[in-house]
C-alpha cells in the first residue's frame, strides 16, 4: 500500500491537485520549482521509478472522452486535455534528465535511472496515449454522424436558424484543443530526443499520423454537416438565415453559420501549420540518417579502393552501432510518414476549398482565400524539400547497386573466407533496396496511382498536385549543394543529376501509362504549361547535365561509380517516353480524349500546336520562349538534347504512319508538311534548317534491316516534291516575267512571296543544306519508283541539255556567274547525283526526266566526257564577276566552292553508276579532277567549312573509286587516286 507521501508525489507528478473535489490541472507546474523538485526526485532517487510507474497506472484508469458535461468532465472526471497534459508530463520526466542527476554518484541510483529504461517507459506512454485518443476520436466521429440528420432536418423546419447542441460544440472545441496541444508537445517534448532514442520514432510519428487522420475526418465531417445546413437554409430562407445567431441553447455564445465556417477555417489553419512542422521535423531526421548511410557507403568505396591498391582494407565499417538493415528501415519509415502527412494535407485542404456552389465560397470570405494561398505555398515548399530528399536517396541506391554488382563479380573470382566481409555486402543490399521505395512514395504524393476518374477522388485535387510536383522537379535546387561535405566526395556526388533524370523519367512513364489507359487527362493535368515546362526541362536541362555520365557509360569507364547502367537502354527508353508524351503537350482540359477522337477541329488545332512547339525547339535559340523551365538553356541546343529531339520527331512520324486512324494520318501528314515548308522557307534560320534537313534525310532513308520503303518515306517524298514546286526551288530565269508581274502588286500574300525564287534569300550554308536533302530525295524517289514531277523534270532536262551535255564550248554558257544560277545548278546537280547513284546506267537516268542526251548516236563515253568537261570547267576561272559589296562577293565565292563540292559528288556518283564500263582514261581523268579539287581547297588562304567540305568530298570519292579498278589498268592510272586519298593524312 503506497504511503500518503508517495500518493502526493504521484499527483504532483501528474499535475493534479491532491484535493479530489477538483479535476483541474495545476497551471504551468512544469516551470515551477515544485516541478523541478519532483522531476529530480523521480529521476535520482531509488524509488523514483516505482513512483513513476504508479503514476502511469493511475493515469491509465482515467477515461478519456470529449463528450463533456457542464461540470467540465464526464461524471465529474477529468477532461481529455487534462489527461493528455498529464501524459506529456510523464513523457517529459522520462526523457529529460534533471540537473541534480549529474552530481549523483549512487550506483543504485545510476542503475534505476538508466536512460534506455526511461526511453522504454516514454515509448509505452506514447502508445497508451495514442490508443486512448483513437478510441475517443472514433467515438466522437460516430456521435457526430448520428446527429447530422437531426441537425439538418431541424434547420429545414425552423427555416431561419441553425440549431446546434452546446455539448457538441464544446466537445468539438475540446477535441481541437487537445489535438493541437498533442501536436505541439510532440514537436517540443518528444522530437528533440528521437535522435538519441531511436525507439521513440515509431510510437511518435506512427501515432501522429493515425491521430491526425482521425482528426481530419472529424473536421471534414463537420464541414459536410455545415454544407448540408447551408443548402437547406439557402433554399428556404436565403442569406439572411446564414447570419442569424443561434441562442436556443440558453447561453450567450451563440454563433451563425458564417461564423462557424470561419472558425473551421481557423482551426484547420492552425492544424495545418502543426502538421507541416511535423513534416519538416521528419525531413530533418531523414537528413541525419541519410548522412549516416552516405558516410558508410563512401567509407566502403574508399576502403575498397585502398584494398585494391595496397592489398588490404580498413575495418571502419564494423564501428557502426546500428545495422545497415535497420538504417534503411528507418529511412523507409520516415519516407512513409512524410508521404502520409502530405496526403492528409491534400485530402482535407482541397475538399474544404473546392465548393461547387459559388455562394458557399462567398460565405467563407477572405479568410478562406488567404488559407488557400498559405496552404499552396506551404505545400510547394514541402514538395520541393521531399522530392529533393527522394533524389538524394535514389542516388545513393544507384551507387550501392553498382558497388553491389562489382562486389558480386569479385566474390566469384575470390571466394570469401572471413565472415566479417559480409558486413559491406549487407550494407549494399540494404541501400540498393531503397530504389523501388523511392519510386513508390514519389508516385503516391503525386497521386499517379490514384484513379482520378473515381468520384470519391475528384475532390483530392489530383491535377493541381501533379502540376505542383512537375513544377517542383523543374525548379529543384542543385543536388550538389545538399550532400557531400568533403571535397573527395564531390566527384562521386556529381552524378546525382542522373538520379533526378531517372526519377523524372519514372514520373513521365506513369503519366504516359495513365494517358494510355484513356483516363481523363483534364483531371490529371489541368494546367498544360506544367507539362511543357517539365518536358522542356527534362530535354534541355537534365539530359545535358548527365552528358558526362553517358560518355563514361558508353566508353565503359568507372569514374562516376554508376557507369554499369546501360546508356543505350536509358536513352532509348527516354526517347520512347518523350515521343509518347509529346502527344500530351498543349492539351487543354476539355480535350482529354483527343487522341481517341475521330473528328473535330479541337484536336487538329492541338496537333498543330504540338508540332509548332517541337519544331521550334529545333531552332538555335530556345531561350527566346522565356519559359521558366529553361532559364538555364543556352542560346544553342546542347548536342545531346538536339539529337534526342531529332529522334523524338523521327519516332513520332514513324509511329503515326504505322497506325491507320484519322488522328495518326493527320499527325504524320501535318508534321512532315510543316518540316518541308520550313526547309524551303526564306526566313528559316541556318541552324534550324540544318536540323530539319537532318530529320528529313532520316525519314527518306530506307531501313537497313527491312530494306523496304516505309509509309513515312513515301509521305516525305510526296511532301518534298509538292513543296519544291510551291517554293520555286529550281525555277529558271524563264519565270522572271511572272515575278515582275507579281512585284507590281502593292500588297503581296505569303503565297506570292513564296513563289519568288528561293535562292535570292538563301545564304550559302542554306543552299548547301538544301542540296543534301535534294540528293536524298532523288535517291529515295528512284528506289521507291516514284516519278519526278513534270516541272522539276523540265528544269533538269533544260540544265542537262543546254549546259552540261551541250556541244558548245562557250564558257559563258557553262560557267555560272549569278548566285541564283549557281544555286539552281547546285540543286539540279544534287537531284541528279542522288538519282545517278541508284540508276542502272546513264540511259536509265536520262529517261527519268526525258533528256535527249545528244540523240541516239551519242555513246555512253561521249556523255561521260561531256559531264567531265562541265565539271572541269567549274574549277576554272572565267565568267562574269559578281558585283556588289565585299560580303556579296564573299558569298559568291563560297557558292562557287559549294558548286565544286557538288560536282565532286557527281563524279563519285558517276563512277558508281558506270563502274563496270569505266575506261582507264576516264578513271585517270576523274582522278585528275579529284586531285585538282584537293589542291584547290588546300591553296585557299582562309580555311572555311566549305573548303574543308570540298576536300573531304574529293578524298571520299577517291577512296570509293578503288573498288572499281580492274586488273587490266596500269599502275599509273591509280597514282592520281592514291595521291588524292593521301590528302586526308596530311590534314
Amino acid at each position: 500500500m503506497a504511503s500518503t507521501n508517495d500518493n502526493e508525489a504521484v499527483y504532483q507528478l501528474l499535475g493534479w491537485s491532491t484535493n479530489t473535489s477538483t479535476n483541474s490541472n495545476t497551471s504551468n507546474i512544469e516551470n515551477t520549482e515544485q516541478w523541478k523538485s519532483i522531476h529530480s526526485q523521480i529521476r535520482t532517487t531509488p524509488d523514483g521509478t516505482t513512483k513513476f510507474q504508479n503514476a502511469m497506472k493511475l493515469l491509465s484508469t482515467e477515461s478519456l472522452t470529449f463528450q463533456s458535461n457542464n461540470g467540465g468532465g464526464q461524471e465529474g472526471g477529468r477532461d481529455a486535455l487534462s489527461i493528455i497534459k498529464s501524459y506529456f508530463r510523464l513523457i517529459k520526466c522520462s526523457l529529460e534528465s534533471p540537473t541534480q542527476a549529474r552530481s549523483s554518484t549512487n550506483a543504485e541510483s545510476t542503475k534505476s535511472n538508466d536512460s534506455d529504461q526511461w526511453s522504454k517507459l516514454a515509448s509505452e506512454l506514447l502508445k497508451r496515449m495514442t490508443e486512448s485518443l483513437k478510441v475517443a476520436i472514433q467515438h466522437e466521429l460516430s456521435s457526430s454522424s448520428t446527429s447530422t440528420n437531426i441537425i439538418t432536418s431541424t434547420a429545414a423546419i425552423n427555416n431561419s436558424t441553425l440549431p446546434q447542441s452546446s455539448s457538441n460544440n464544446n466537445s468539438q472545441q475540446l477535441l481541437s484543443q487537445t489535438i493541437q496541444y498533442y501536436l505541439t508537445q510532440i514537436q517540443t517534448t518528444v522530437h528533440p530526443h528521437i535522435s538519441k532514442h531511436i525507439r521513440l520514432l515509431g510510437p511518435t510519428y506512427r501515432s501522429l499520423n493515425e491521430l491526425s487522420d482521425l482528426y481530419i475526418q472529424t473536421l471534414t465531417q463537420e464541414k459536410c454537416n455545415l454544407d448540408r445546413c447551408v443548402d437547406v437554409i439557402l433554399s428556404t430562407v436565403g442569406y439572411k438565415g446564414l447570419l442569424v445567431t443561434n441562442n436556443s441553447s440558453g447561453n450567450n455564445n451563440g454563433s451563425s453559420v458564417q461564423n462557424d465556417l470561419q472558425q473551421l477555417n481557423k482551426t484547420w489553419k492552425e492544424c495545418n501549420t502543426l502538421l507541416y512542422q511535423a513534416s519538416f521535423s521528419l525531413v530533418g531526421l531523414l537528413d541525419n540518417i541519410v548522412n549516416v548511410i552516405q558516410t558508410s557507403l563512401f567509407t566502403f568505396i574508399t576502403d575498397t579502393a585502398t584494398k585494391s591498391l595496397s592489398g588490404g582494407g580498413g575495418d571502419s565499417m564494423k564501428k557502426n552501432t546500428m545495422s545497415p538493415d535497420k538504417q534503411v528501415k528507418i529511412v523507409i519509415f520516415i519516407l512513409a510518414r512524410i508521404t502520409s502527412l502530405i496526403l492528409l494535407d491534400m485530402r482535407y485542404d482541397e475538399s474544404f476549398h473546392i465548393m461547387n456552389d459559388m455562394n458557399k465560397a462567398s460565405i467563407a470570405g477572405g479568410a478562406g482565400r488567404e488559407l488557400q494561398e498559405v496552404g499552396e505555398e506551404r505545400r510547394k515548399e514541402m514538395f520541393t524539400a521531399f522530392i529533393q530528399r527522394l533524389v538524394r536517396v535514389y542516388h545513393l541506391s544507384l551507387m550501392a547497386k553498382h558497388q553491389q554488382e562489382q562486389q558480386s563479380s569479385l566474390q566469384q573470382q575470390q571466394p570469401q573466407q572471413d565472415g566479417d566481409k559480409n558486413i559491406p555486402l549487407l550494407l549494399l543490399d540494404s541501400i540498393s533496396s531503397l530504389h523501388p521505395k523511392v519510386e513508390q512514395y514519389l508516385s503516391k504524393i503525386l497521386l499517379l496511382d490514384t484513379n482520378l476518374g473515381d468520384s470519391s477522388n475528384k475532390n483530392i485535387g489530383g491535377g493541381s498536385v501533379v502540376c505542383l510536383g512537375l513544377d517542383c522537379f523543374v525548379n529543384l535546387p542543385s543536388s550538389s549543394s545538399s550532400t557531400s561535405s568533403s571535397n573527395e566526395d564531390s566527384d562521386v556526388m556529381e552524378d546525382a543529376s542522373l538520379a533526378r533524370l531517372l526519377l523524372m523519367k519514372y514520373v513521365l512513364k506513369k503519366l504516359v501509362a495513365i494517358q494510355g489507359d484513356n483516363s481523363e487527362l483534364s483531371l490529371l493535368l489541368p494546367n498544360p504549361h506544367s507539362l511543357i515546362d517539365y518536358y522542356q526541362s527534362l530535354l534541355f536541362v537534365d539530359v545535358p547535365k548527365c552528358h558526362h555520365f553517358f560518355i563514361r557509360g558508353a566508353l565503359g569507364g568507372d569514374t562516376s561509380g554508376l557507369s554499369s547502367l546501360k546508356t543505350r537502354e536509358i536513352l532509348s527508353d527516354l526517347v520512347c517516353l518523350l515521343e509518347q508524351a509529346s502527344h500530351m503537350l498543349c492539351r487543354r482540359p476539355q480535350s482529354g480524349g483527343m487522341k481517341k477522337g475521330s473528328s473535330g477541329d479541337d484536336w487538329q488545332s492541338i496537333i498543330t500546336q504540338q508540332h509548332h512547339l517541337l519544331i521550334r525547339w529545333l531552332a538555335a535559340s530556345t531561350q527566346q520562349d522565356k519559359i521558366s523551365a529553361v532559364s538555364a538553356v543556352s542560346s544553342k541546343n546542347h548536342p545531346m538534347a538536339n539529337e534526342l529531339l531529332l529522334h523524338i520527331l523521327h519516332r513520332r512520324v514513324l509511329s503515326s504512319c504505322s497506325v491507320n486512324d484519322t488522328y495518326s494520318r493527320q499527325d504524320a501528314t501535318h508534321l512532315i508538311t510543316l518540316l518541308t515548308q520550313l526547309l524551303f522557307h526564306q526566313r528559316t534560320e541556318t541552324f534550324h534548317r540544318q536540323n530539319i534537313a537532318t530529320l528529313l534525310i532520316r525519314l527518306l532513308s530506307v531501313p537497313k534491316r527491312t530494306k523496304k520503303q516505309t509509309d513515312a518515306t513515301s509521305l516525305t517524298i510526296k511532301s518534298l516534291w509538292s513543296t519544291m514546286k510551291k517554293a520555286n526551288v529550281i525555277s529558271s530565269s524563264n519565270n522572271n516575267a511572272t515575278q515582275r508581274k507579281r512585284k507590281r502588286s502593292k500588297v503581296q500574300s505569303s503565297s506570292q512571296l513564296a513563289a519568288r525564287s528561293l535562292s535570292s534569300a538563301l545564304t550559302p550554308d542554306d543552299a548547301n543544306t538544301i542540296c543534301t536533302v535534294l540528293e536524298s530525295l532523288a535517291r529515295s524517289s528512284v528506289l521507291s519508283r516514284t516519278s519526278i514531277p513534270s516541272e522539276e523534270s523540265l528544269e533538269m532536262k533544260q540544265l542537262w541539255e543546254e549546259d552540261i551535255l551541250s556541244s558548245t564550248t562557250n564558257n559563258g554558257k557553262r560557267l555560272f556567274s549569278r548566285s541564283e544560277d549557281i544555286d539552281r545548278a547546285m540543286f539540279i546537280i544534287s537531284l541528279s547525283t542522288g538519282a545517278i547513284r541508284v540508276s542502272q546506267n546513264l540511259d536509265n537516268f536520262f529517261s527519268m526526266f526525258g533528256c535527249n542526251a545528244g540523240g541516239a548516236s551519242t555513246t555512253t563515253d561521249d556523255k561521260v566526257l561531256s559531264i567531265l568537261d562541265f565539271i572541269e570547267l567549274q574549277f576554272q576561272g572565267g565568267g562574269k564577276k559578281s558585283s556588289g559589296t565585299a560580303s556579296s562577293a564573299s558569298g559568291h565565292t563560297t557558292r562557287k566552292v559549294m558548286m565544286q563540292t557538288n560536282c565532286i559528288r557527281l563524279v563519285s556518283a558517276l563512277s558508281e553508276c558506270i563502274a563496270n564500263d569505266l575506261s582507264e582514261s576516264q578513271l585517270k581523268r576523274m582522278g585528275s579532277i579529284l586531285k585538282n579539287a584537293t589542291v584547290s581547297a588546300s591553296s585557299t588562304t582562309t580555311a572555311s567549312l566549305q573548303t574543308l567540305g570540298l576536300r573531304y568530298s574529293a578524298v571520299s570519292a577517291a577512296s570509293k573509286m578503288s573498288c572499281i579498278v580492274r586488273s587490266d589498268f596500269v599502275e599509273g592510272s591509280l597514282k592520281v587516286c592514291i595521291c588524292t586519298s593521301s590528302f586526308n593524312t596530311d590534314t
Side-chain angles (χ1 to χ4, degrees), residues 490-527:
S490 59
D491 182 63
V492 183
M493 293 309 300
E494 69 177 44
D495 284 328
S497 56
L498 176 66
R500 170 175 166 172
L501 174 67
L502 294 180
L503 280 180
M504 294 181 72
K505 183 171 74 73
Y506 171 78
V507 172
L508 192 65
K509 184 177 181 179
K510 299 290 288 187
L511 293 176
V512 169
I514 294 174
Q515 178 205 26
D517 293 337
N518 199 22
S519 299
E520 293 191 37
L521 198 65
S522 59
L523 291 176
L524 185 68
L525 292 169
N527 181 11

Side-chain angles (χ1 to χ4, degrees), residues 168-408:
N168 286 339
N169 285 342
N170 292 337
S171 62
Q172 182 62 39
Q173 184 179 5
L174 179 60
L175 172 60
S176 298
Q177 292 175 355
T178 303
I179 294 300
Q180 290 179 17
Y181 180 83
Y182 168 84
L183 295 175
T184 302
Q185 290 301 310
I186 286 292
Q187 297 302 306
T188 58
T189 303
V190 183
H191 181 81
H193 301 277
I194 292 180
S195 298
K196 184 178 180 181
H197 306 289
I198 199 64
R199 65 160 47 91
L200 297 174
L201 179 62
T204 301
Y205 282 101
R206 184 181 288 110
S207 302
L208 185 143
N209 280 138
E210 294 174 352
L211 294 176
S212 299
D213 187 4
L214 290 172
Y215 177 59
I216 289 176
Q217 289 183 38
T218 64
L219 294 179
T220 305
Q221 192 174 78
E222 184 179 359
K223 171 195 168 292
C224 293
N225 293 342
L226 289 173
D227 283 348
R228 292 178 185 178
C229 294
V230 168
D231 290 335
V232 172
I233 295 175
L234 287 178
S235 61
T236 56
V237 180
Y239 279 104
K240 294 182 179 180
L242 300 176
L243 302 177
V244 174
T245 301
N246 176 28
N247 292 315
S248 59
S249 58
N251 56 21
N252 297 323
N253 297 324
S255 63
S256 64
V257 176
Q258 185 175 11
N259 292 337
D260 290 340
L261 282 172
Q262 292 176 349
Q263 180 61 38
L264 187 60
N265 245 332
K266 180 181 178 182
T267 301
W268 169 241
K269 183 177 181 180
E270 295 170 349
C271 179
N272 179 267
T273 301
L274 294 172
L275 289 179
Y276 272 110
Q277 289 177 0
S279 300
F280 281 105
S281 297
L282 282 171
V283 169
L285 288 176
L286 180 63
D287 285 340
N288 293 337
I289 193 66
V290 170
N291 285 337
V292 174
I293 295 176
Q294 176 179 300
T295 302
S296 300
L297 184 59
F298 288 168
T299 301
F300 170 77
I301 296 174
T302 304
D303 289 352
T304 302
T306 304
K307 181 178 179 181
S308 63
L309 293 175
S310 62
D315 58 351
S316 55
M317 289 288 297
K318 304 176 185 179
K319 298 179 181 180
N320 277 333
T321 57
M322 188 183 301
S323 66
D325 185 58
K326 187 174 182 179
Q327 294 174 3
V328 171
K329 286 182 179 179
I330 292 174
V331 171
I332 295 174
F333 176 84
I334 296 177
L335 293 177
R337 300 285 77 75
I338 298 176
T339 302
S340 298
L341 289 174
I342 293 176
L343 294 177
L344 282 177
D345 164 55
M346 290 188 292
R347 190 182 68 190
Y348 178 83
D349 191 37
E350 293 297 335
S351 65
F352 186 84
H353 292 294
I354 298 176
M355 296 184 177
N356 296 327
D357 194 336
M358 292 302 295
N359 294 332
K360 296 179 185 178
S362 65
I363 295 171
R369 291 188 294 271
E370 179 185 357
L371 172 61
Q372 189 172 14
E373 294 174 359
V374 172
E376 290 176 354
E377 187 65 28
R378 286 176 177 171
R379 184 179 300 169
K380 183 176 181 180
E381 185 181 359
M382 185 70 249
F383 264 64
T384 301
F386 189 46
I387 291 176
Q388 192 172 9
R389 271 66 182 186
L390 289 177
V391 170
R392 183 183 178 190
V393 174
Y394 200 78
H395 170 57
L396 292 178
S397 69
L398 292 178
M399 294 180 62
K401 187 176 181 180
H402 170 72
Q403 294 295 329
Q404 186 181 32
E405 293 173 355
Q406 286 191 334
Q407 291 302 311
S408 298

Side-chain angles (χ1 to χ4, degrees), residues 544 547 636-645:
H547 176 257
K636 191 172 183 180
N637 295 344
H638 189 278
M640 178 169 284
N642 203 66
E643 186 62 28
L644 277 180
L645 186 56

